[in-house]
Amino acid sequence: IRNAIMDGWVCFVMGVAGAGKSTVGRALSEKLGCQFVEGDIHHPASNVTKMAAGVPLTDEDREPWLVALHDIAFKWSKSGISGVIACSALKRKYRDILVCGICNDKRDTASATLVGEIPASYHTLSNYIFVVLHGPEEVIWSRLQERKGHFMPPALLQSQLDTLELPSQDEKFVMCSLEMTVPDIIQHITSHFPFSTVQ
């Protein structure tokens, strides 16, 4: 007997580069027995090229990537599948896209022009939560210096820190200190989830 996340829940593990999104995301998916997606692998090649060259991404660069991750999450939720997605989700508008498939400031205009069936990219998730990995900049810098084989150079960290908008109280989120151990982070996260007991 073990605890498992209820069907159709999606967890977005967010934070700047070096916060530990992939490590925590994989550990969380293993704990919950659910799907895991590494958001970075869904970046278009043009985004990867820019970041590898030390060029920060614009909102326009990120939008199709965020919509693609939303569509994965929505398909999971619609099928009763739960999962964890690791992605930066630095701004409120980025999180809106992950949840709704489109920025809220574009939603009314887009909905008014749609004809027939609304595509998946305009469906809103109901059961979701953001896990925010946050902590001292010096800890993040140290981790990035040790990281090998990632396309994003440490020099881009400052641009991410400048971009970061921590969630407001009207968003669904759990705040975790990245100075905690991974097991402690997982325990803290799972205490905020609805669980069912399975064999």
Side-chain angles (χ1 to χ4, degrees):
I1 297 176
R2 62 184 175 84
N3 282 333
I5 191 171
M6 290 182 69
D7 293 342
W9 270 78
V10 179
C11 174
F12 298 99
V13 181
M14 62 163 284
V16 298
K21 299 183 294 294
S22 299
T23 299
V24 170
R26 287 192 183 94
L28 180 60
S29 69
E30 291 174 5
K31 173 71 173 180
L32 300 177
C34 65
Q35 302 278 339
F36 172 72
V37 163
E38 173 54 75
D40 281 346
I41 68 173
H42 291 276
H43 270 296
S46 56
N47 284 5
V48 174
T49 299
K50 286 185 74 170
M51 287 186 283
V55 180
L57 297 181
T58 65
D59 288 356
E60 291 71 25
D61 292 328
R62 287 188 173 95
E63 187 164 353
W65 170 63
L66 293 164
V67 169
L69 295 180
H70 162 81
D71 288 350
I72 292 170
F74 180 76
K75 288 174 184 175
W76 282 349
S77 185
K78 185 177 180 182
S79 302
I81 297 170
S82 294
V84 178
I85 297 177
C87 61
S88 49
L90 299 176
K91 289 185 180 181
R92 171 66 182 260
K93 65 162 58 176
Y94 303 164
R95 297 188 290 275
D96 286 346
I97 295 173
L98 289 168
V99 173
C100 304
I102 189 169
C103 293
N104 281 339
D105 57 1
K106 296 182 181 179
R107 195 167 177 70
D108 293 339
T109 302
S111 296
T113 60
L114 290 173
V115 177
E117 184 179 355
I118 298 176
S121 294
Y122 294 94
H123 285 296
T124 300
L125 297 174
S126 298
N127 297 326
Y128 69 90
I129 195 165
F130 286 93
V131 170
V132 186
L133 301 179
H134 191 56
E137 292 181 20
E138 57 269 21
V139 174
I140 302 171
W141 277 110
S142 175
R143 290 183 178 184
L144 281 179
Q145 296 298 329
E146 296 172 357
R147 189 164 69 171
K148 307 295 182 185
H150 196 278
F151 57 77
M152 181 172 164
L156 280 182
L157 175 60
Q158 190 57 55
S159 71
Q160 289 209 340
L161 291 169
D162 293 341
T163 300
L164 178 63
E165 298 172 0
L166 292 175
S168 350
Q169 289 304 312
D170 63 330
E171 296 183 73
K172 299 178 181 179
F173 71 96
V174 179
M175 187 73 72
C176 298
S177 169
L178 53 79
E179 293 184 288
M180 296 165 64
T181 65
V182 172
D184 285 347
I185 290 175
I186 300 305
Q187 182 177 6
H188 180 64
I189 296 169
T190 54
S191 69
H192 290 77
F193 280 152
F195 286 102
S196 57
T197 302
V198 298
Q199 295 294 329

